[in-house]
Amino acid sequence: MRSVIDVPDLTLGELDRLMDTAEDIIARPDQYSELCHGKKLATLFFEPSTRTRLSFEAAMYELGGHVLSVTGAGTSSAAKGESVADTAKTVSCYADIIAMRHPKEGAALVAANNASVPVINAGDGGHCHPTQTLADLLTIRREKGRLDHLTVGLCGDLKFGRTVHSLITAMSRYEGLQFVLISPDELKIPGYVEKDCLKKKDIPYTQTTSLEQVIGDLDILYMTRVQRERFFNEEDYLRLKDSYILTPEKMKKGRPDLCVMHPLPRVNEISVAVDDDPRACYFKQVLNGKYMRMALILMLLKEAGRI
Ligand code: CP
């Protein structure tokens, strides 16, 4: 059974086709409104979410399907000690496809190995978040007209920010990319992303602590929240949480065609005064996420022979 747990589960060709499908959904939504008639998506969210859960649910409704939802570990039998494996086997009896978010790295893979329906990882701990990457890729392709030959700055919590790990993994497959990694020393990207992705593929990257010094070099600036929930020590979080705040003043140093992204939710990383800047693309990302999740649900249900 085909599931999507991490970005490499999708080939470059499949990413292109998903983006093409999303574009077609945007252009001709009526053609898609009954394709999942009678089918059910289960959203199992054992961690907080606004965008990912609601966009999966909106996606399934806009495809004509139905949604079953678990929100919070406390409202399901996980609170009684049920394993992820047993939960996946159980939910497979009710739903045609599962989207799952879990605080533990690897939980979605365990679910996929035990489910008899496709499982989509909607974020597993500090590991990865492949469907956010689908939203990010469509946003970049729509805003810049390409996914290659770009200078991409990633700023903030690069250690715990799972969207960063997935985006680097995805974009490192395109030609002519270079990354500028902007973070405090304590929040640099994990060694496995640096070694297995950037170094292994010989992708140019620089690391810096200064956003101001590099913002003028960037095509994309991907801001991230410092992930309070992954810190062991509240003091460290309080010390690091406001390391980077993007303001209209700093935006003056950015290129006229800079694309500013953020997976959201934001706390302080982007001043609300930046929202009116035409280079602010983060709410477009939110909408693009719904279309890409529609495209992914369709792809997986077709492959599973369920539509
Ligand atoms: N980007 C993202 O994953 O947002 P939520 O946590 O609100 O789902």
Side-chain angles (χ1 to χ4, degrees), residues 2-233:
R2 174 88 181 273
S3 288
V4 172
I5 304 305
D6 202 350
V7 170
D9 293 337
L10 296 164
T11 65
L12 268 187
E14 284 172 331
L15 289 176
D16 281 343
R17 283 194 288 282
L18 287 170
M19 286 184 266
D20 292 343
T21 302
E23 291 287 2
D24 199 47
I25 293 169
I26 293 166
R28 306 184 307 144
D30 292 351
Q31 300 297 311
Y32 292 83
S33 61
E34 292 298 326
L35 293 185
C36 289
H37 179 76
K39 301 300 163 190
K40 285 170 278 179
L41 164 76
T43 51
L44 309 182
F45 276 62
F46 301 106
E47 238 191 10
S49 168
T50 297
R51 275 147 294 275
T52 311
R53 183 172 67 82
L54 294 184
S55 67
F56 264 116
E57 296 184 357
M60 195 55 169
Y61 284 125
E62 290 186 27
L63 292 167
H66 305 280
V67 173
L68 313 171
S69 199
V70 166
T71 54
T75 63
S76 76
S77 285
K80 302 176 201 164
E82 185 165 59
S83 67
V84 168
D86 284 358
T87 300
K89 285 178 189 165
T90 301
V91 176
S92 298
C93 300
Y94 309 137
D96 298 281
I97 187 165
I98 296 169
M100 189 176 98
R101 171 171 289 188
H102 199 283
K104 288 200 177 141
E105 290 82 2
L109 181 61
V110 172
N113 288 341
N114 287 279
S116 53
V117 299
V119 174
I120 303 172
N121 182 6
D124 60 333
H127 180 218
C128 65
H129 191 348
T131 64
Q132 178 63 48
T133 299
L134 297 182
D136 300 342
L137 293 178
L138 181 63
T139 304
I140 295 170
R141 196 174 85 162
R142 296 198 107 206
E143 296 303 312
K144 307 300 290 184
R146 65 186 191 282
L147 285 159
D148 52 15
H149 298 93
L150 292 166
T151 301
V152 180
L154 300 131
C155 178
D157 184 351
L158 310 188
K159 179 179 181 183
F160 296 118
R162 57 193 174 196
T163 63
V164 167
H165 310 157
S166 292
L167 187 59
I168 291 175
T169 305
M171 294 213 74
S172 66
R173 294 199 279 179
Y174 293 91
E175 291 285 316
L177 260 284
Q178 51 182 317
F179 294 100
V180 181
L181 306 174
I182 310 149
S183 73
D185 287 336
E186 295 96 323
L187 297 179
K188 285 181 174 174
I189 54 164
Y192 78 89
V193 177
E194 192 173 4
K195 180 168 157 277
D196 298 344
C197 189
L198 299 175
K199 286 192 171 150
K200 194 170 174 182
K201 296 181 185 171
D202 212 10
I203 293 164
Y205 70 99
T206 54
Q207 293 184 299
T208 178
T209 55
S210 171
L211 173 59
E212 286 89 335
Q213 277 178 14
V214 296
I215 191 169
D217 304 332
L218 306 177
D219 297 304
I220 309 286
L221 172 59
Y222 194 94
M223 298 295 294
T224 62
R225 172 179 68 92
V226 175
Q227 305 267 305
R228 180 180 205 156
E229 62 274 34
R230 317 251 179 253
F231 274 73
F232 293 111
N233 179 335

